[in-house]
Amino acid sequence: MSHSRQYLQFNDLVFDSTEMFSQEAEKTTTKGETQKFSYGNGSYAFFRNPQLFVEEKSLSGTINISFSRFEKGDRHHVKDFIRLNLIQPGKLWAMEDGRILWANAYLTDYSEPYEKYRDTLSVDVDFKLYEGVWHIADKTKTFALPYNICTALDCYDFTDIDDCTDCCVACATQTANPCCVCDCDELSEETSLCNAMPDGWQECGSSYKLVYDCLAGERIYGRKSWGRKVCKQEPCYSTIAGRFYSRTVLDTEHVEVILEGKFHDPAIRINDTEMTVLGDYEGLLRVTESGEMFFAESECCEWEQLDFSNLETEDLGWSVHNGFNKLLVSGACCEEACAWVNIDEITF
């Protein structure tokens, strides 16, 4: 297994072999600043946090697509297929040390297609990774569908329309791009990353298309997709206390907590930050890092958003670091109660 980062896909454009996308080195720049000493060696550096922040970054490469792998009647649609996927901002997918990563990206530069090798279409591209980070894919929400480049165009409305033909044909109502619909039926427990992590990811003829779908993940895995679970050790304890592990490399503040049970003014503390939701609740209570709060009596009920005045805190959100983190939820009544911590784990 290669230990270097392999780029797998952008939107629906799958790089199904290592030769299909030949990349240049990806470079990370931190947001550190220094001030030179007037009379002395080196410089002064001021750091507000234990970890440095990273700048946005760029990735350049060349996409090579062999025309011989497409049906002759589809070859003139290949350029449109490439352009449609590249012009939309979306997810850039990669694999590193057997771990699937994704980054939000958009195209900044695009060369006109040219023939680098015989029967091969090549396009030089530059991507901007504007967050500067890679997200570690949640295996319960990410699916790997068997992929064949020969059928890659099937989910697109590519049709040869002749302006000289009957107007009723040329002006027929077109449905919305059904690309997502093509994938929905194949999203299952068997195709999720929990079960679909093959060794030969970019071998011609046995490649995979990655699909991220939160709703499908919750439908298939239920509460397992809610994140790390910590429960009371005894029903009559007034607190939920425990530790949970995170793979995040960079400290992350994209954290959501779901409580289940009976609570009075529950105070949710993760590491050194606490947020309190005022009121009495029996059912499910969801709190986001931005201070949004939602309540539902059960999983069968719709989430009802609570007023922001119910929140009491000095700082919004929590911070989770690599390794074990502490969780403490007070205000639980004398019943069973649990908490789930959903973390957007990131690296660079």
Side-chain angles (χ1 to χ4, degrees):
M1 180 183 294
S2 173
H3 296 287
S4 61
R5 187 170 292 170
Q6 294 174 273
Y7 300 93
L8 305 176
Q9 178 179 329
F10 182 67
N11 287 326
D12 287 340
L13 185 59
V14 177
F15 311 139
D16 69 341
S17 69
T18 53
E19 293 78 22
M20 185 172 169
F21 182 70
S22 51
Q23 74 276 4
E24 298 179 10
E26 181 187 325
K27 186 177 180 181
T28 299
T29 304
T30 60
K31 294 183 178 179
E33 292 185 2
T34 60
Q35 180 66 45
K36 291 182 179 180
F37 291 127
S38 298
Y39 303 98
N41 301 314
S43 300
Y44 172 75
F46 175 68
F47 304 117
R48 292 181 178 272
N49 298 288
Q51 283 191 340
L52 294 169
F53 293 105
V54 296
E55 300 275 6
E56 64 179 17
K57 49 188 174 181
S58 301
L59 173 68
S60 301
T62 301
I63 298 171
N64 304 296
I65 294 185
S66 173
F67 272 123
S68 63
R69 301 172 67 188
F70 288 90
E71 294 289 340
K72 287 186 177 181
D74 290 333
R75 292 181 185 178
H76 61 293
H77 293 309
V78 173
K79 290 181 183 178
D80 289 342
F81 172 70
I82 294 172
R83 288 181 173 126
L84 280 169
N85 278 282
L86 290 178
I87 203 61
Q88 300 179 55
K91 285 182 171 59
L92 178 66
W93 294 88
M95 179 166 59
E96 186 176 37
D97 296 327
R99 177 181 288 177
I100 301 297
L101 311 172
W102 62 268
N104 285 315
Y106 67 92
L107 181 76
T108 57
D109 286 291
Y110 169 89
S111 75
E112 279 302 305
Y114 59 92
E115 192 171 3
K116 188 174 183 179
Y117 308 106
R118 182 179 174 84
D119 290 330
T120 299
L121 183 72
S122 297
V123 179
D124 297 326
V125 292
D126 294 311
F127 292 110
K128 182 74 72 178
L129 283 61
Y130 53 91
E131 291 178 313
V133 302
W134 287 89
H135 302 257
I136 301 172
D138 186 330
K139 291 184 177 182
T140 65
K141 300 181 179 72
T142 309
F143 301 84
L145 308 181
Y147 174 83
N148 187 334
I149 196 170
C150 297
T151 59
L153 308 183
D154 288 354
C155 292
Y156 286 75
D157 288 332
F158 290 126
T159 305
D160 291 320
I161 298 292
D162 187 345
D163 289 339
C164 299
T165 60
D166 193 312
C167 170
C168 294
V169 176
C171 303
T173 302
Q174 297 293 319
T175 58
N177 191 329
C179 195
C180 294
V181 178
C182 289
D183 299 327
C184 284
D185 293 340
E186 300 179 59
L187 303 186
S188 65
E189 188 171 353
E190 289 70 30
T191 58
S192 75
L193 287 192
C194 290
N195 298 291
M197 279 294 290
D199 292 330
W201 194 278
Q202 286 184 304
E203 293 179 0
C204 290
S206 61
S207 301
Y208 296 84
K209 176 183 175 182
L210 289 157
V211 177
Y212 181 81
D213 194 315
C214 292
L215 294 178
E218 187 164 354
R219 170 176 55 81
I220 294 165
Y221 286 102
R223 298 182 180 198
K224 186 178 178 181
S225 68
W226 291 0
R228 279 66 165 164
K229 181 181 180 182
V230 180
C231 294
K232 275 188 185 181
Q233 295 183 2
E234 295 291 340
C236 279
Y237 285 0
S238 62
T239 59
I240 301 171
R243 298 192 304 164
F244 60 89
Y245 185 82
S246 174
R247 304 165 299 174
T248 193
V249 175
L250 297 171
D251 290 352
T252 179
E253 296 180 353
H254 296 288
V255 181
E256 181 180 275
V257 176
I258 295 180
L259 304 180
E260 183 184 39
K262 190 174 181 180
F263 297 89
H264 173 70
D265 294 346
I268 307 167
R269 173 177 288 271
I270 295 178
N271 296 324
D272 299 322
T273 308
E274 182 174 288
M275 293 203 296
T276 301
V277 183
L278 303 176
D280 295 299
Y281 305 94
E282 184 172 4
L284 295 170
L285 182 65
R286 179 160 62 96
V287 185
T288 72
E289 70 272 3
S290 60
E292 291 184 306
M293 300 158 289
F294 304 87
F295 174 73
E297 292 184 359
S298 71
E299 290 180 73
C300 300
C301 301
E302 295 288 333
W303 289 101
E304 175 188 346
Q305 186 164 6
L306 304 177
D307 192 88
F308 191 74
S309 61
N310 290 39
L311 183 68
E312 188 176 83
T313 185
E314 292 184 2
D315 298 298
L316 281 178
W318 306 276
S319 181
V320 168
H321 55 72
N322 180 269
F324 284 101
N325 296 260
K326 295 178 291 184
L327 172 70
L328 180 68
V329 181
S330 60
C333 299
C334 193
E335 294 181 2
E336 296 284 350
C338 292
W340 287 262
V341 185
N342 192 4
I343 311 156
D344 180 12
E345 298 169 316
I346 56 177
T347 186
F348 65 92

